[in-house]
Amino acid sequence: MDRSVEHKAVADLVEAEARAELARLADSLAAANTAYHTLDAPEMSDADYDTLKRRNAAIEARFPGLKRGDSPTDRVGAAAGSGFGKVPHRVRMLSLENAFAESDVVDFDDRVKRFLGISEVTYTAEPKIDGLSLNLRYEGGRLVQAATRGDGEVGEDVTANARTIADIPQGMDGAPQVMEVRGEVYMAHADFAALNARQAEKGEKAFANPRNAAAGSLRQLDATITAARPLRFFAYAWGELSEPLGASQITSIERFKALGFQTNPLTVLCRSPADLVAQYRSIEAQRATLGYDIDGVVYKVNDLGLQERLGFRSSTPRWAIAHKFPAELAWTRLLAIDIQVGRTGAISPVARLQPVTVGGVVVSNATLHNEDYIAGRDSKGNPIREGKDIRVGDWVQVYRAGDVIPKVADVDLSQRNIDSQAYVFPEVCPECGSPAHREPGDSVRRCTGGLICPAQGVERLKHFVSRGAFDIEGLGAKQVEMFYNDEDLPVKQPADIFTLAARDAATSLKKLKNRDGFGEKSVTNLFAAIDLRRNIPLDRLIFALGIRHVGEVAAGVIARHYGTWPPFEAAMAVAEPENEAWNDLLSVDGVGAILAQSVVDAFRNPAERAAIDALVAQLNIQPVAVRAQIASDIAGKTLVFTGTLEKMSRAEAKARAEALGAKVAGSVSAKTDLVVAGPGAGSKAKDAERLGVRMIDEDAWIALAGLS
Ligand code: IVH
């Protein structure tokens, strides 16, 4: 097919070319939507998708009469995962922290030992399977439910599909009454090749890699399709258990094997970081001949009692780490440098690359980080890449490490054109024309346009509807972008989402339900999903505001500190360095001056404040959800540790207190409920005495924490 017209300017197209191209664009965009939303196999980058969509809109604007009934302009993406029931995980499904260098492994071992205050720890080492994780629930020895990881809290019910996988036992004797088995669904290389050959015979699209094939196969609404796909399963972890499987990681895995599960034969015990690294090297050497994809080696503390003491950070266990294999590399041509503007105004350069396969995935975009990186220096002005800068037209080295965005690592100067020009980084925002400033000490240049910048506006809305934030079903990044530019029902700021239904009801023509891609049912569902989120927990709201430096963890601690919206809002309205409200904000563990200033600035800026007020007027803000399963004497209390603790490390004491629902603060104030003072406690103990705060010693703390 002659696609050369696609490089013609829209203004130069004749009608027949425009008609043909609109048809092609409708096809490609529909296929990209399906690949993205339904098949778990994105085949087009967001940027390429947007480029096609913009070209489609431009052609329609020039030839309005040619606009198709199935025009991609009107289309709303399929709701992700619609069709599967939701399964709340009884025990959260976590991810793993990554290690890349050997020194990271030594650091991990050091941290574990310091936390526990012991000098010898035994670990397991096993391959990190590159598939997707699955939770299998057995009750009375029968498989009753299989669920994907989802966001870690809620997954999708894929029970019917999991039953078709030969490695997954339907039932067994001798299992605990309740047993949740976790592991990885994957596809072996040979099965993957055969599947792609069958796809080709049927004229269907090939899968990019075994992981995508496994994900696409497991998430089939029709289980007979899954049954025809050769999926496999390795068991390596567990969720809820009515009784322990063993005293250690390794014996628990052996128990899985005895119960009929496949466990990875390369799982071994290691007694030092040197042992771990040796096992890593050994597994790496076998990687090519294993017959399935692995992307690293996972190390876990073997003793389950120690695992329990180590506990969890917000989304990763302290007792495990994934030592990843080095990133895959490839060389390609840098075609252009584009600039993207993020939700906090950060101006990020993006490399547009001649497409190249890196580790089984076609890469056509990569990050270039910031202007210093392009210029060949680090944030302190020291040379990187021996000071070589990166120019459009250069031959560059691209790499991918895990799921992260591809990066440009190096440039080959011997391939550089003699007439190439150094890249000049923009000093105004390419989207709104506002000056883009770089503050001292910040490696990033930022658009100063704030809410007037359309790019920041759209990115803020995307963040607002994202998973940890409002997470409105049927209103994802693509839909938000569409509504942002909608002439009849614009959504320019979060509050507009909640007035959408009322505004739609007030329009006489062009009601949402009459538009292509919508319809009565989808509009009813969308409005219901929006209404559902009017009840929003405080932590999600604070995170959703998209304030710089305020991630999910910070939003959580801030919300737990203030409890409800009115005291939080009142404090932010008056807080300024050194007054009481400011010091109180800083007393929250995890809140530093930079973060505090950023929150206060957001509430002080009149435009931002107006947007927050408009939003809050639409919501019923719920007190922050107190973490379940906590019924302890110290839940909800604020503790301060001071002096030396002799029976557990400070880190463990803090983690234990938080696990019991208490807040741990760094300094003593009138809001402190309890001070745990070890030997050598100084000014904090004095503050406690002066303020009349209850003070206990370490033994009393251990009893209180239920550890004695
Ligand atoms: S343990 C609490 N072991 O890696 C830790 N995970 O990056 C539970 N994975 O979501 C995970 N092989 O899908 C563990 N041998 C292994 C693994 C493994 C692959 C995946 C798993 C997890 C992800 C974390």
Side-chain angles (χ1 to χ4, degrees):
M1 186 191 324
D2 174 18
R3 296 224 153 171
S4 57
V5 294
E6 281 166 24
H7 301 295
K8 259 191 177 179
V10 171
D12 298 336
L13 291 177
V14 299
E15 190 167 325
E17 288 168 343
R19 179 177 294 112
E21 194 178 343
L22 285 177
R24 278 202 301 275
L25 284 165
D27 276 356
S28 320
L29 287 163
N33 264 321
T34 309
Y36 184 90
H37 290 290
T38 318
L39 299 180
D40 267 330
E43 50 184 23
M44 200 183 276
S45 69
D46 282 0
D48 291 349
Y49 181 95
D50 292 343
T51 308
L52 291 191
K53 215 156 171 181
R54 274 200 296 274
R55 183 162 172 97
N56 185 77
I59 300 174
E60 287 175 352
R62 210 183 135 222
F63 299 97
L66 295 184
K67 185 169 168 184
R68 299 165 57 93
D70 63 351
S71 164
T73 316
D74 300 330
R75 196 173 178 290
V76 187
S82 57
F84 291 101
K86 295 257 187 306
V87 178
H89 295 300
R90 290 175 173 85
V91 176
R92 265 195 318 153
M93 289 186 80
L94 299 162
S95 45
L96 293 170
E97 189 195 346
N98 289 328
F100 294 99
E102 287 184 22
S103 61
D104 296 339
V105 180
V106 174
D107 288 350
F108 165 66
D109 174 60
D110 275 350
R111 259 181 286 137
V112 166
K113 288 177 180 159
R114 232 181 305 123
F115 188 101
L116 297 168
I118 58 179
S119 57
E120 298 283 324
V121 177
T122 300
Y123 299 94
T124 57
E126 68 198 68
K128 182 169 191 299
I129 317 298
D130 195 7
L132 57 149
S133 48
L134 191 66
N135 184 67
L136 302 171
R137 186 176 175 85
Y138 291 82
E139 286 175 4
R142 309 307 311 163
L143 175 64
V144 293
Q145 189 170 58
T148 62
R149 178 176 186 277
D151 63 2
E153 308 261 359
V154 179
E156 286 175 334
D157 186 337
V158 290
T159 313
N161 298 356
R163 287 192 195 285
T164 70
I165 299 176
D167 285 351
I168 296 181
Q170 300 286 322
M172 72 281 293
D173 292 330
Q177 171 59 26
V178 173
M179 172 176 78
E180 290 186 351
V181 181
R182 292 180 174 175
E184 204 83 352
V185 173
Y186 67 100
M187 196 177 280
H189 290 155
D191 293 333
F192 168 69
L195 171 63
N196 266 354
R198 288 202 301 278
Q199 291 286 104
E201 267 167 33
K202 288 191 279 179
E204 284 173 19
K205 218 178 131 18
F207 290 100
N209 53 49
R211 209 205 82 85
N212 282 347
S217 303
L218 186 67
R219 293 181 71 260
Q220 284 291 336
L221 286 171
D222 178 354
T224 59
I225 299 182
T226 311
R229 302 273 176 85
L231 293 175
R232 300 176 187 228
F233 181 81
F234 275 129
Y236 54 62
W238 51 91
E240 192 182 15
L241 293 174
S242 54
E243 59 187 82
L245 294 162
S248 65
Q249 183 73 34
I250 198 97
T251 51
S252 303
I253 300 302
E254 282 161 3
R255 181 85 187 279
F256 280 154
K257 194 162 183 306
L259 289 170
F261 291 92
Q262 299 299 319
T263 59
N264 197 287
L266 300 179
T267 310
V268 297
L269 287 179
C270 295
R271 295 196 157 73
S272 67
D275 259 13
L276 292 172
V277 170
Q279 185 59 15
Y280 172 87
R281 296 264 170 264
S282 157
I283 291 178
E284 189 180 32
Q286 300 173 67
R287 186 179 184 187
T289 52
L290 288 178
Y292 50 86
D293 279 352
I294 62 172
D295 58 352
V297 178
V298 182
Y299 309 140
K300 299 171 185 168
V301 170
N302 186 43
D303 182 316
L304 299 187
L306 298 182
Q307 282 193 7
E308 160 95 27
R309 281 177 59 194
L310 284 155
F312 304 93
R313 298 178 211 91
S314 59
S315 66
T316 54
R318 287 195 192 82
W319 43 263
I321 198 162
H323 190 178
K324 304 293 280 285
F325 292 133
E328 313 235 18
L329 298 166
W331 286 89
T332 188
R333 187 74 66 195
L334 175 61
L335 302 177
I337 298 178
D338 283 355
I339 295 291
Q340 278 177 356
V341 183
R343 95 187 130 84
T344 60
I347 296 210
S348 315
V350 179
R352 303 295 180 210
L353 305 165
Q354 194 162 312
V356 60
T357 303
V358 191
V361 172
V362 178
V363 168
S364 47
N365 302 303
T367 176
L368 286 164
H369 306 284
N370 55 50
E371 60 190 291
D372 286 343
Y373 191 82
I374 297 177
R377 42 174 195 260
D378 68 12
S379 59
K380 298 195 183 77
N382 303 316
I384 49 172
R385 300 183 299 270
E386 295 127 33
K388 290 179 282 185
D389 70 333
I390 296 173
R391 301 181 180 189
V392 172
D394 274 347
W395 192 244
V396 291
Q397 189 188 45
V398 187
Y399 70 101
R400 268 178 77 239
D403 302 333
V404 299
I405 317 163
K407 295 179 177 142
V408 172
D410 204 359
V411 43
D412 182 352
L413 290 189
S414 71
Q415 307 264 0
R416 178 173 278 177
N417 276 338
I418 35 170
D419 54 358
S420 79
Q421 303 278 316
Y423 180 73
V424 181
F425 204 85
E427 294 186 356
V428 295
C429 170
E431 300 285 338
C432 74
S434 303
H437 285 163
R438 191 171 161 184
E439 282 172 15
D442 195 352
S443 54
V444 171
R445 198 173 275 282
R446 285 172 206 277
C447 161
T448 53
L451 290 174
I452 68 150
C453 177
Q456 286 192 48
V458 169
E459 292 306 319
R460 281 175 183 221
L461 284 165
K462 285 186 189 168
H463 170 77
F464 185 82
V465 299
S466 67
R467 248 185 191 171
F470 273 64
D471 193 17
I472 298 172
E473 184 127 20
L475 196 65
K478 300 236 157 73
Q479 292 83 336
V480 157
E481 201 157 339
M482 181 201 80
F483 276 118
Y484 189 87
N485 295 312
D486 197 290
E487 283 181 8
D488 301 301
L489 294 168
V491 171
K492 298 284 186 204
Q493 57 174 20
D496 298 341
I497 294 172
F498 295 94
T499 59
L500 199 59
R503 287 185 288 139
D504 186 48
T507 47
S508 44
L509 283 166
K510 292 198 178 173
K511 283 209 189 297
L512 206 48
K513 66 173 187 189
N514 298 327
R515 300 202 197 167
D516 282 343
F518 284 92
E520 188 100 43
K521 186 151 181 275
S522 66
V523 172
T524 314
N525 288 347
L526 175 63
F527 291 164
I530 292 173
D531 269 344
L532 202 64
R533 286 288 190 251
R534 284 183 198 273
N535 291 312
I536 193 85
L538 181 60
D539 51 342
R540 277 188 177 243
L541 170 63
I542 295 175
F543 173 61
L545 295 178
I547 298 168
R548 197 169 147 209
H549 304 301
V550 183
E552 258 174 295
V553 174
V557 294
I558 294 173
R560 279 193 288 283
H561 181 73
Y562 292 96
T564 58
W565 177 259
F568 170 60
E569 187 220 324
M572 293 312 100
V574 297
E576 57 186 23
E578 303 316 330
N579 72 10
E580 199 191 330
W582 172 266
N583 289 337
D584 182 46
L585 176 58
L586 276 187
S587 79
V588 181
D589 198 42
V591 175
I594 293 177
L595 194 158
Q597 190 64 55
S598 176
V599 181
V600 170
D601 286 348
F603 277 77
R604 285 290 169 80
N605 176 310
E608 306 245 4
R609 182 62 211 244
I612 293 174
D613 288 346
L615 169 66
V616 167
Q618 299 290 330
L619 305 173
N620 302 312
I621 303 165
Q622 308 296 309
V624 59
V626 179
R627 292 205 180 117
Q629 94 256 358
I630 297 169
S632 76
D633 293 344
I634 56 169
K637 301 262 164 63
T638 300
L639 267 63
V640 173
F641 290 98
T642 181
T644 319
L645 298 182
E646 289 165 332
K647 300 196 172 135
M648 67 174 69
S649 67
R650 193 63 88 79
E652 181 171 5
K654 178 166 176 276
R656 174 58 67 161
E658 285 172 354
L660 291 168
K663 290 180 274 195
V664 178
S667 61
V668 177
S669 75
K671 295 206 171 140
T672 311
D673 297 297
L674 184 67
V675 171
V676 180
S683 65
K684 288 181 193 168
K686 293 212 181 76
D687 289 342
E689 252 165 58
R690 184 170 48 79
L691 293 164
V693 177
R694 185 177 158 220
M695 210 166 3
I696 60 171
D697 65 10
E698 187 177 6
D699 284 337
W701 152 249
I702 289 190
L704 187 67
L707 296 171
S708 55

